[in-house]
Each structure stands twice: as C-alpha cells, then as structure tokens.
Amino acid sequence: MNALQEIHKKIKQNKMAPIYVLYGQEEFLIEEAVNLIINSALSFEEREFNLSVFDMNEVPIDVAVEDAETLPFMGEKRVVLIKDPVFFTGNKDKTKVEHDLKRLEQYLDSPSPDAIVIFTGNYDKLDERKKIVKLLKKNGEVIQTSLMDDKAISTWIKNKVTEADKEIDEEAIHLLLQLVGPKLMLLANEVEKLVLYIGEDTRIDSSVIRNLVPRTLEQNVFALIDMIVKRRTRDALLFFYDLLEQKEEPIKILSLLAGQFRLIYQVKELYKRGYGQNQTGTYLKVHPYRVKLAGDQAAKFSEGELQKIMNDLAEMDYKMKTGKMDKKLLIELFILQLNK
C-alpha cells in the first residue's frame, strides 16, 4: 500500500490529521484526496459555514491561519483549503502578496484541534531545509503524487472498476489507455461511462471500449504511426483516408506525426545514454506512459532513420505551407517511403 492509499484508509476510518500537504504532478489524485477529506469531515450543510478556500497568489497566509483558528460554526470541524503555498518550495514567489510565515510556523507547531488544514500545490518537491516544511512533516501528513507509469495506471484502472463491482481484463485496459491516454481525469470519466453502459453485466471487455470510447486525433495519429512501424502500409493508407473522411486536416496530421517522431527520437537518444522510463519522462516533461510507447516504437528504427524521417517531415511541412505539393499526396508518399 503506498502513502496515498494509506491516507485514504485512515480518512475512511475517521483518523483525520490536523494538517495535510498534497503536492506533485498528478493533479487528479490531489483533487480526489481533497474531496475525500472534505466529504469525511463535513456534511453538505456544514460546508457553507465551515469550508474556506484560499489562494496564496491572492491572499496572505495569515488570513488563512486566522480562519483555521476560528471555532467551527454549527459543526465539529473547520476545513481550510490553501492552494499554491509556494513558500514551501525553493521556487521564487512571483506575486506581491506578503506572507507572515512566522505566524504560519506558530500554527504548524500547535495546530488547532478543531480544524483540518489542507495545502495543495503542483510542485516537484518541497524545500526540506525550511522550518515550516519540517513542522509540516512533524505534525501533519505530507504526500507527493507523482505521475504514474503504465503499470501503476493499469492497476489504478482495475481498482476503479473493482470499486464499482465490475471486472476488466488486461487487453481492455491496454486498449483504454491507447484510446484515452494516461490522464487520470479522462480515464476516470471513461471508466464511469463504461460502468454505466454495461449496466447489470459484470465485465468490461475490448468490444465495449471500442463501441463507447472515442479516439482523439492524437491517438489516431499514434495508431497510424504504429501501423507504419509494423510495416502495415495498406492499413496505414486506409486509416489515413478514414481520417480525411472525418474532415481532419492533413497539415494537423503532419504536425502530430512530426511531434511523435520527435519524441521517439528523443526517447531513443536518452535510452542510449542510460536514462530509465521515469527519468526520461521527467527530463522531457512527458508522461512516463507516453515515454514507454515511444520507446517501443523507437526500437523499430535506427538513429539515422529517425533523423531522415524528421528531415522529411520538415520538408513536407514547408511544401504544404507553400502550396508546392498536394497535401494528401505528401502524406501518402511519406507512408509509402517509410515502408520500402
């Protein structure tokens, strides 16, 4: 059980901490945890009087602290949500808001038993040297939500389906990830729709996903590249024609092709230098799942082939934008040449 799951377990057992810090790149997991804390601490009626939200880009921290020290009204707890506390990090505060951090330190050293204070921020790390961060760790729960790799996302999807008393197989999970991508918010929405769609049936399989989950243009282009990589020329051309039938613009398809091949090249280079999947994702600021897929595709090309492909795509972009050649024909020739 990871730290976030442990927090969920404690909250559901009504073992609430006075302070929570939820930070990291996976915003959906942060939002999910915040909602769980609020729903567990306050009834719907109590929220009007006992729930406060403060953005540190607009409001000084001492205002939020004062609110946390105020007794709850018609309830047992106050919940104070404090967003973007950049002063927990080594990042420069670009706002002109003056924060009384001494006042905050005093509160963190002796938090109110009648309040739950939640800090949230989209940061890679906190500044462990700061006194306020040490006090947070001493008297509260500090949880980092990192972007999940493909294995962790697959487990997360399976758990979401299980929570709804349904089942999903590995093939269906893989297809869902292919169609939707790794963003948890989008995946959560699709899982909810799939569960409603199957009704009293218990199993979500690939056929259900194909019927219900739409494929974005980006995912379509990824599928097109996958066909090209596997030398399925006829399928790739037919798929391209289907995209044109759907009124997709060749220049947009070309742009996405160039972006994906650029990523494939970058991943290949970083893998050659000994970078792992997560390290590559952090370096390129790309989700680890996308890195894995690009890495799988990169194995099918040499470094020289990828450099030539990128040069060809740049030349195609120039010809399209200057009208020197038919847009559809350019992409047709590109697909055919790649499969020689």
Side-chain angles (χ1 to χ4, degrees):
M1 183 179 291
N2 63 34
L4 192 58
Q5 289 172 325
E6 186 65 36
I7 292 297
H8 278 239
K9 183 180 176 182
K10 288 180 181 178
I11 293 169
K12 288 174 182 176
Q13 293 171 344
N14 206 28
K15 297 176 182 176
M16 308 285 280
I19 300 163
Y20 291 94
V21 183
L22 302 160
Y23 73 100
Q25 298 301 317
E26 194 50 84
E27 295 180 36
F28 178 81
L29 294 179
I30 293 174
E31 186 178 337
E32 192 175 48
V34 168
N35 288 335
L36 180 60
I37 295 167
I38 293 172
N39 293 337
S40 300
L42 303 175
S43 68
F44 184 77
E45 293 75 18
E46 289 172 333
R47 292 179 205 179
E48 182 177 353
F49 304 106
N50 293 316
L51 174 62
S52 305
V53 181
F54 299 96
D55 186 336
M56 293 296 94
N57 295 305
E58 300 171 0
V59 181
I61 186 60
D62 31 308
V63 175
V65 169
E66 185 177 342
D67 192 81
E69 291 173 335
T70 304
L71 288 172
F73 181 72
M74 296 177 66
E76 294 183 7
K77 292 284 185 182
R78 290 189 67 77
V79 176
V80 181
L81 176 58
I82 300 173
K83 297 183 176 183
D84 204 9
V86 71
F87 38 76
F88 290 165
T89 74
N91 302 340
K92 187 176 179 181
D93 188 349
K94 296 178 182 178
T95 70
K96 294 183 180 179
V97 180
E98 292 187 11
H99 298 291
D100 187 348
L101 297 184
K102 287 293 181 186
R103 178 82 189 277
L104 175 59
E105 287 175 7
Q106 290 168 1
Y107 181 86
L108 296 178
D109 196 36
S110 181
S112 168
D114 301 310
I116 297 171
V117 179
I118 311 166
F119 296 94
T120 64
N122 185 21
Y123 314 124
D124 289 326
K125 60 182 179 179
L126 306 183
D127 190 339
E128 304 281 345
R129 301 166 298 177
K130 292 187 174 182
K131 183 179 179 180
I132 45 176
V133 175
K134 292 174 183 176
L135 287 168
L136 288 169
K137 292 194 167 186
K138 178 184 175 185
N139 295 322
E141 299 276 10
V142 180
I143 304 296
Q144 182 179 16
T145 63
S146 302
L147 292 175
M148 295 190 288
D149 59 22
D150 56 306
K151 186 177 179 181
I153 297 174
S154 296
T155 301
W156 182 86
I157 292 170
K158 188 173 286 187
N159 289 340
K160 280 288 176 188
V161 173
T162 302
E163 285 171 14
D165 295 323
K166 307 294 183 185
E167 297 176 0
I168 185 168
D169 57 47
E170 293 298 325
E171 184 183 345
I173 290 174
H174 181 68
L175 178 60
L176 184 62
L177 272 168
Q178 274 191 327
L179 295 177
V180 180
K183 290 187 178 178
L184 297 188
M185 177 67 78
L186 298 178
L187 285 167
N189 290 338
E190 292 302 330
V191 167
E192 187 177 349
K193 285 195 296 184
L194 288 163
V195 167
L196 289 171
Y197 180 78
I198 64 172
E200 294 183 5
D201 290 341
T202 59
R203 192 169 190 80
I204 298 171
D205 59 21
S206 298
S207 63
V208 174
I209 291 170
R210 287 192 187 93
N211 287 336
L212 196 66
V213 180
R215 194 191 288 263
T216 65
L217 177 58
E218 187 173 353
Q219 295 302 324
N220 276 327
V221 167
F222 179 85
L224 178 62
I225 292 172
D226 211 45
M227 291 173 194
I228 292 170
V229 165
K230 292 172 181 174
R231 309 300 194 235
R232 291 164 50 195
T233 309
R234 183 174 181 278
D235 290 341
L237 286 171
L238 290 174
F239 197 82
F240 170 58
Y241 299 147
D242 283 343
L243 293 180
L244 296 180
E245 285 291 321
Q246 295 167 32
K247 307 299 181 187
E248 299 292 359
E249 285 293 326
I251 198 159
K252 192 168 184 181
I253 294 171
L254 176 63
S255 174
L256 290 171
L257 281 169
Q260 182 62 23
F261 273 109
R262 190 180 308 113
L263 177 62
I264 291 169
Y265 177 77
Q266 290 170 325
V267 168
K268 190 175 187 71
E269 280 295 296
L270 290 173
Y271 276 12
K272 190 171 75 173
R273 296 181 200 176
Y275 282 54
Q277 181 180 316
N278 289 337
Q279 193 180 5
T280 299
T282 301
Y283 184 85
L284 296 176
K285 297 182 179 178
V286 171
H287 197 285
Y289 179 70
R290 283 194 63 203
V291 171
K292 177 187 180 299
L293 296 179
D296 291 344
Q297 292 178 331
K300 307 291 184 181
F301 296 97
S302 68
E303 187 178 329
E305 285 174 326
L306 287 171
Q307 287 176 338
K308 182 179 184 305
I309 287 168
M310 288 189 295
N311 288 335
D312 289 345
L313 288 166
E315 182 67 19
M316 286 167 61
D317 182 70
Y318 170 75
K319 288 179 178 177
M320 273 196 191
K321 288 176 178 175
T322 55
K324 293 197 171 183
M325 199 167 173
D326 180 75
K327 296 175 183 178
K328 176 187 167 187
L329 180 58
L330 275 167
I331 294 181
E332 286 174 330
L333 290 173
F334 174 72
I335 293 170
L336 291 167
Q337 286 170 359
L338 273 184
N339 287 277
K340 281 182 179 178

